[in-house]
Amino acid sequence: MLQSLKGRDFLSLKDFTKEEILALINLAIELKSCHKQGIRKDILAGKTLAMIFQKSSTRTRVSFEAGMFQLGGQGLFLNTQDLQMGRGEPIADTARVLSRYVDGILIRTYEQKEVEELAYYSQVPVINGLTDLYHPTQALADMLTIYEHKGKLEGIILAYIGDGNNMVHSLMIGGAKLGMEVRVATPIGYEPKKEVIEMAKTFAEESGGKIILSNSPQDVAQGADVLYTDVWASMGQEKEAEIRKNKFQGFQINDKILKLASEGAIVMHCLPAHRGEEITHEVMEGPQSVVFDEAENRLHAHKAILAALL
Ligand code: CP
Ligand code: NVA
């Protein structure tokens, strides 16, 4: 199964089968266990990953860079401000040049079509480290976290409360592929994109999963195994932050919402979190929160992606 991933791009979970996603999760579990036992796997000795960042990052940047090192390779952090790309060199040229030097390219940027263009011109695998549309590496790490805490993925009820953004798009697609029930509650006007909803519904039909859209946080939280949220204003939406603060009142994971979820439900957030907005300090620091396991799993999931693709 992993052989089918060699040389592929990682732009969205929509491009991967259920079996391929599960194979990546299994590889992440294996690499995590080796890491915990201090066993070093130099799978990527001599290989380099170019890491282009047009937006800020703590987790994605550090976990990919550390992950490359732990696999015997090297990550090369490239801020777009310092690249000629920042002065207008076309993506198509950047892709062809970098492909001559490195074995893979990670990119975090605004538009999904920039990542697709980079992948089109690149001779080496391209990994989407977040766009306005998707955040697939996070969603893969999240599936690993859910599997570890709940022992399964199929049939799991994940309730996402908040903005219909890149994060929920990737969770809907990943969850639908894996046979989960993904319920999404957003304020009116902040729903996920229609085409992503349609796509996820098609995947859910194939897997036996379910996609449910709502404007009621209470309805989606009822009996859920996982409560998930993300910031109300994503990177690039800073100017809308104040308006969104009003519109999103009530779309918060707090003690009251948590009580509606199933007993032993876990609380997830991709981070960074804004305590007092989408999640309360109490829930974030409470016993049901797995947010730091989730953050840790970025490292293990990313190592699996790198080992499989590069
Ligand atoms: N969750 C996530 O992608 O975090 P960073 O923005 O810190 O990379
Ligand atoms: N939706 C958030 C995720 C950050 C990891 C953003 O795009 O800013």
Side-chain angles (χ1 to χ4, degrees):
M1 180 54 58
L2 287 171
Q3 221 36 49
S4 74
L5 297 170
K6 239 344 131 217
R8 297 256 299 273
D9 297 315
F10 196 84
L11 308 188
S12 164
L13 289 176
K14 74 180 168 54
D15 305 325
F16 296 87
T17 63
K18 175 181 182 176
E19 290 68 30
E20 286 169 339
I21 297 171
L22 291 175
L24 283 170
I25 292 172
N26 282 330
L27 180 58
I29 291 170
E30 193 187 319
L31 291 171
K32 181 172 182 175
S33 154
C34 288
H35 184 71
K36 299 277 177 198
Q37 293 171 67
I39 302 167
R40 225 188 127 106
K41 293 243 177 197
D42 282 344
I43 303 169
L44 299 179
K47 296 206 170 172
T48 309
L49 178 76
M51 303 172 20
I52 305 173
F53 281 81
Q54 181 137 30
K55 290 175 174 172
S56 305
S57 172
T58 297
R59 282 144 287 268
T60 309
R61 176 193 171 171
V62 179
S63 56
F64 268 103
E65 200 165 330
M68 275 305 286
F69 179 76
Q70 289 170 17
L71 293 172
Q74 187 184 18
L76 204 57
F77 175 71
L78 304 165
N79 187 319
T80 40
Q81 291 314 309
D82 305 325
L83 290 173
Q84 295 289 8
M85 233 175 108
R87 296 177 57 243
E89 184 169 18
I91 288 180
D93 294 359
T94 306
R96 285 173 289 181
V97 171
L98 289 180
S99 296
R100 306 262 178 139
Y101 304 142
V102 301
D103 304 281
I105 305 173
L106 168 76
I107 180 164
R108 167 170 287 195
T109 189
Y110 291 91
E111 290 185 47
Q112 182 72 10
K113 74 169 194 282
E114 293 175 63
V115 177
E116 279 161 14
E117 192 182 352
L118 188 78
Y120 179 80
Y121 285 101
S122 171
Q123 298 290 314
V124 296
V126 170
I127 301 167
N128 177 0
L130 180 145
T131 61
D132 293 345
L133 189 63
Y134 293 127
H135 197 3
T137 63
Q138 175 76 53
L140 183 74
D142 293 342
M143 296 306 163
L144 166 62
T145 309
I146 295 168
Y147 181 73
E148 285 178 338
H149 283 274
K150 293 280 151 205
K152 63 173 189 170
L153 289 163
E154 212 170 84
I156 286 289
I157 301 174
L158 182 149
Y160 175 96
I161 295 169
D163 185 28
N165 62 14
N166 46 7
M167 198 58 253
V168 76
H169 286 161
S170 285
L171 290 171
M172 281 162 64
I173 292 174
K177 289 244 176 191
L178 296 171
M180 290 165 60
E181 177 171 321
V182 182
R183 304 175 183 167
V184 181
T186 66
I188 292 167
Y190 292 90
E191 289 85 2
K193 279 194 185 305
K194 272 206 182 70
E195 53 274 27
V196 178
I197 297 172
E198 289 316 311
M199 197 191 332
K201 282 190 172 165
T202 309
F203 294 142
E205 265 166 36
E206 287 162 15
S207 71
K210 235 185 207 171
I211 298 291
I212 296 168
L213 275 298
S214 166
N215 300 114
S216 162
Q218 287 75 19
D219 285 358
V220 299
Q222 202 72 49
D225 302 302
V226 180
L227 291 186
Y228 200 117
T229 191
D230 185 14
V231 289
W232 290 341
S234 285
M235 290 182 277
Q237 297 174 332
E238 288 76 9
K239 285 199 185 112
E240 291 174 41
E242 281 311 307
I243 296 173
R244 282 170 173 261
K245 252 184 217 169
N246 285 324
K247 300 261 188 196
F248 281 78
Q249 286 307 314
F251 287 79
Q252 180 190 62
I253 299 190
N254 51 34
D255 282 328
K256 257 192 181 160
I257 288 282
L258 188 51
K259 281 205 180 79
L260 299 173
S262 76
E263 210 188 312
I266 55 171
V267 175
M268 299 179 73
H269 190 312
C270 58
L271 307 181
H274 291 177
R275 289 169 170 82
E277 292 184 19
E278 74 276 4
I279 191 165
T280 59
H281 173 80
E282 289 70 25
V283 171
M284 174 106 175
E285 301 293 341
Q288 285 165 276
S289 165
V290 300
V291 299
F292 296 107
D293 292 343
E294 183 183 0
E296 176 189 333
N297 278 339
R298 300 294 301 283
L299 174 69
H300 311 299
H302 297 171
K303 283 166 76 176
I305 296 170
L306 293 165
L309 268 53
L310 266 53

